[in-house]
Amino acid sequence: MAARPDVALIASPTHLHVSHALACARAGVRGLFIEKPLGVSEEGVADLASEVAAREISAMVGCNLRFDAVYALVEQALD
């Protein structure tokens, strides 16, 4: 955080996602991209949501394309 990044990609072990995102939000990042799932429980989620809203941070949780129709067709073709 010493480098004062504008954005953060949270790709740590799942049980650390919320605490890492919250630390980044409190440190002043303007954007958060969090690998899914957001966490292993609801603990800290309300705090993170409040911090993101209060600081007007652009935040999103990424979702892979595992169930996308194109990937299903490729899988079928390979089978």
Side-chain angles (χ1 to χ4, degrees):
M1 299 312 313
R4 303 190 51 87
D6 292 323
V7 297
L9 169 64
I10 308 299
S12 52
T14 302
H15 72 280
L16 297 172
H17 285 180
V18 172
S19 62
H20 287 174
L22 190 54
C24 290
R26 289 178 174 158
V29 300
R30 302 301 309 146
L32 283 169
F33 184 88
I34 307 162
E35 178 184 50
K36 77 164 185 79
L38 179 58
V40 295
S41 71
E42 293 182 27
E43 186 176 344
V45 173
D47 292 335
L48 177 59
S50 294
E51 200 73 33
V52 164
R55 295 175 181 266
E56 298 181 343
I57 296 170
S58 179
M60 63 182 71
V61 176
C63 180
N64 64 28
L65 300 173
R66 182 184 325 185
F67 301 108
D68 187 272
V70 171
Y71 290 94
L73 290 172
V74 170
E75 182 179 27
Q76 288 174 4
L78 292 173
D79 285 342

